Amino acid sequence: MTRTLLTFLFLIAVIAIAVAPSSGQRRDSMTDEEVELVRNSQDIDKRIGVLTKMLDRRFSALGIEVGGWKQAEKSKEEWGATRTGTKTELLLDVRAILQKAIDDIDDVAMHNDKTQRQNKTEGLLFPKAVRSLAAAAARYLPQLKAALDKTTDEKDRGLLLASIEHCEAILDAVTKLPPETKPEKKKG
């Protein structure tokens, strides 16, 4: 009985090692330059702007046109080289960056009392950030669904489905914002 148990545990260990990633390191979803841009963007609307530009870069690297930001030659020093990788790696990046954007919005909402005044949910920047992220999600959603229809790889399908769910959650969240108000013009 003890020998059977040891053999079983040994087989489990061998299988776990065989299935583990061979590289030993996980790929970061952001380049060093992108991490620095996020770190320097403390206002929530600016941070969401940086994250959506990162997403636009990933879609561009995938060869998917989403009608978003195009990196100009002069911004290459600030943004760094265009992100490369396999389709799966780039889809992992898309999912992770969408999740980061959602987490940043949620973090501001959850810690509203401790948030910088300009970032508070009742301030000007929070609704602007949510609407900006929703506009980007609306651009991404049809392209993600089209890519899902063409993909047979199960891992890629899972990543696409997760990204689609993120976009749908963002689009649902924007409907919960109060209506956008236009500033009144001064009579003069």
Side-chain angles (χ1 to χ4, degrees):
M1 169 117 170
T2 306
R3 186 167 194 202
T4 307
L5 181 61
L6 286 173
T7 304
F8 177 74
L9 290 174
F10 176 75
L11 284 173
I12 295 292
V14 169
I15 291 170
I17 290 169
V19 177
S22 60
S23 67
Q25 289 186 338
R26 276 189 60 205
R27 171 185 159 105
D28 290 329
S29 60
M30 296 182 211
T31 65
D32 292 340
E33 293 86 358
E34 291 170 337
V35 168
E36 202 56 37
L37 286 166
V38 169
R39 187 177 298 137
N40 292 334
S41 300
Q42 292 302 305
D43 288 337
I44 190 64
D45 65 325
K46 300 285 189 237
R47 180 168 290 203
I48 295 301
V50 167
L51 292 170
T52 56
K53 286 178 181 177
M54 288 168 39
L55 286 161
D56 290 342
R57 284 170 42 114
R58 295 312 182 280
F59 280 109
S60 179
L62 283 163
I64 299 173
E65 176 55 47
V66 292
W69 178 71
K70 305 277 191 264
Q71 184 171 342
E73 191 64 37
K74 64 182 180 178
S75 68
K76 284 197 177 181
E77 186 174 321
E78 178 184 23
W79 281 89
T82 302
R83 186 64 157 185
T84 60
T86 65
K87 179 180 178 184
T88 301
E89 288 172 332
L90 292 167
L91 289 173
L92 275 164
D93 289 354
V94 167
R95 185 196 63 190
I97 296 167
L98 278 168
Q99 184 63 58
K100 167 84 172 127
I102 291 168
D103 290 348
D104 286 357
I105 293 282
D106 286 347
D107 189 54
V108 168
M110 287 175 40
H111 301 100
N112 193 46
D113 56 327
K114 298 175 187 157
T115 298
Q116 296 175 345
R117 183 173 49 89
Q118 70 270 20
N119 287 334
K120 291 193 178 289
T121 56
E122 63 276 2
L124 295 174
L125 301 183
F126 183 81
K128 179 180 175 184
V130 175
R131 286 185 177 93
S132 172
L133 184 57
R139 289 188 289 113
Y140 304 148
L141 191 56
Q143 301 305 325
L144 289 166
K145 287 180 177 180
L148 180 65
D149 290 342
K150 297 175 191 168
T151 301
T152 57
D153 182 271
E154 285 305 310
K155 185 169 186 174
D156 289 353
R157 288 183 64 75
L159 294 169
L160 287 162
L161 285 168
S163 295
I164 288 168
E165 287 177 13
H166 287 334
C167 288
E168 289 171 342
I170 292 164
L171 292 169
D172 183 52
V174 78
T175 64
K176 295 176 175 115
L177 288 176
E180 193 171 10
T181 58
K182 306 263 184 207
E184 291 183 29
K185 294 182 180 181
K186 292 182 182 180
K187 294 179 182 178

